[in-house]
Amino acid sequence: NESIITQADIRGEEIEYEKDENKVSLPITISYSDLSINQKIVQMEKISDTQEKLKVDGDGKLAKVEISRKKDETTKVKVTYSLEISNKGNETGTVESIVATVPEGMSLSKDSNNVWKELGTDMVEYNKKEEIIQGKNKTIELTLEGIASETMGEKESEAMIISSEDADQRKVEQGKKEEITVKNVKNKMKNTNNYSSATAIISVTTALKDYAIYVLIAITVLIIIAIVIKNRTTNTSKEEE
């Protein structure tokens, strides 16, 4: 059955083909690669007069940084992503390219421009082929940056693998004339394990929060003064006695 053979070729499933006249069963196993990508945020930095690296909790799919309103036009925000590529297939897979979207207001950091290149203003490409052995993985980093005042809000970056040998991409391409390319990869890969995303939230510290901090500092100072005065009064009373 041709359709069954095609499916085995895509997924590497083991099937049996029965030859009717001789009643002979022939096991067929097809080799395949099944690459996947997991994008997460591993570090966020805010750089103004000083440089502060922020801890990223959880699975790295969502991370937040707050910027002082007084410094939002002079503070640079850097977001570093980890792209983990793994191969769950039974043969070595070749990553021909990795593409990632660049959120509005951000651009490729010089920390990453040795292996990444810009594709217009909204996408970057990892332009080095990688061989991923079955059962193994490789981690690649990407750093994007921007001025805080120009990058406020939720900034989602999406990453995708391009590999003509991959099981998912062969399945998507089957019966279609258009191949997987940088231009159409997002729509074709979004529902496969060749796609992943992570979101950085960049926000301004509100005036109310700043006010609350000032009030807390003032209250703390008043409490200290009150304690000092009380101690002095107590000591004076003891001396008079």
Side-chain angles (χ1 to χ4, degrees):
N1 186 309
E2 186 178 348
S3 64
I4 295 179
I5 296 295
T6 302
Q7 179 64 24
D9 184 52
I10 290 173
R11 275 292 178 188
E13 297 172 357
E14 185 170 301
I15 64 170
E16 274 195 357
Y17 175 74
E18 187 172 307
K19 195 173 181 181
D20 291 338
E21 59 269 27
N22 297 321
K23 300 294 182 182
V24 175
S25 295
L26 176 66
I28 301 174
T29 302
I30 306 297
S31 298
Y32 71 106
S33 63
D34 188 7
L35 299 168
S36 65
I37 185 169
N38 181 33
Q39 181 184 26
K40 60 183 180 181
I41 298 172
V42 292
Q43 184 172 282
M44 294 186 76
E45 298 177 65
K46 51 182 180 180
I47 305 167
S48 54
D49 301 330
T50 59
Q51 182 174 352
E52 182 181 357
K53 295 182 179 181
L54 307 173
K55 182 181 178 181
V56 177
D57 297 318
D59 60 4
K61 290 296 184 181
L62 186 67
K64 183 178 181 180
V65 60
E66 290 187 334
I67 309 296
S68 170
R69 186 179 297 277
K70 296 178 180 179
K71 295 184 177 181
D72 65 342
E73 293 185 356
T74 58
T75 299
K76 179 187 290 185
V77 175
K78 294 176 73 172
V79 184
T80 299
Y81 303 88
S82 166
L83 309 176
E84 184 180 42
I85 316 297
S86 58
N87 183 3
K88 298 178 182 178
N90 59 15
E91 73 171 8
T92 298
T94 302
V95 177
E96 294 159 17
S97 176
I98 303 170
V99 293
T101 59
V102 179
E104 185 179 358
M106 304 192 81
S107 61
L108 182 65
S109 171
K110 64 180 181 180
D111 296 342
S112 294
N113 64 10
N114 57 331
V115 290
W116 291 86
K117 66 177 182 179
E118 294 180 328
L119 300 174
T121 58
D122 61 352
M123 190 172 284
V124 292
E125 181 182 19
Y126 181 80
N127 55 2
K128 180 183 176 183
K129 286 189 176 183
E130 296 287 355
E131 299 287 333
I132 311 297
I133 299 172
Q134 59 271 33
K136 301 295 183 179
N137 56 58
K138 181 178 180 65
T139 299
I140 299 163
E141 287 196 346
L142 166 66
T143 302
L144 303 177
E145 63 182 37
I147 299 301
S149 61
E150 301 173 2
T151 58
M152 290 296 168
E154 294 188 6
K155 300 296 177 179
E156 182 185 37
S157 175
E158 303 164 289
M160 295 141 279
I161 300 170
I162 296 177
S163 173
S164 58
E165 299 174 355
D166 182 69
D168 289 299
Q169 294 190 24
R170 291 172 67 180
K171 186 175 181 180
V172 170
E173 289 176 351
Q174 187 181 11
K176 297 182 179 181
K177 294 181 180 179
E178 190 177 23
E179 295 182 353
I180 303 297
T181 65
V182 170
K183 291 183 179 179
N184 65 28
V185 67
K186 181 177 175 180
N187 291 334
K188 289 177 176 290
M189 291 294 99
K190 197 159 188 176
N191 295 320
T192 74
N193 61 8
N194 294 169
Y195 169 96
S196 185
S197 67
T199 301
I201 300 176
I202 302 169
S203 63
V204 172
T205 303
T206 63
L208 181 60
K209 187 174 181 179
D210 288 339
Y211 178 74
I213 292 174
Y214 295 144
V215 170
L216 182 61
I217 292 173
I219 291 174
T220 302
V221 171
L222 289 174
I223 291 173
I224 293 173
I225 293 173
I227 292 172
V228 170
I229 293 174
K230 183 178 179 181
N231 288 338
R232 285 182 178 178
T233 303
T234 301
N235 292 334
T236 302
S237 298
K238 287 181 178 180
E239 289 175 0
E240 289 179 350
E241 291 176 359

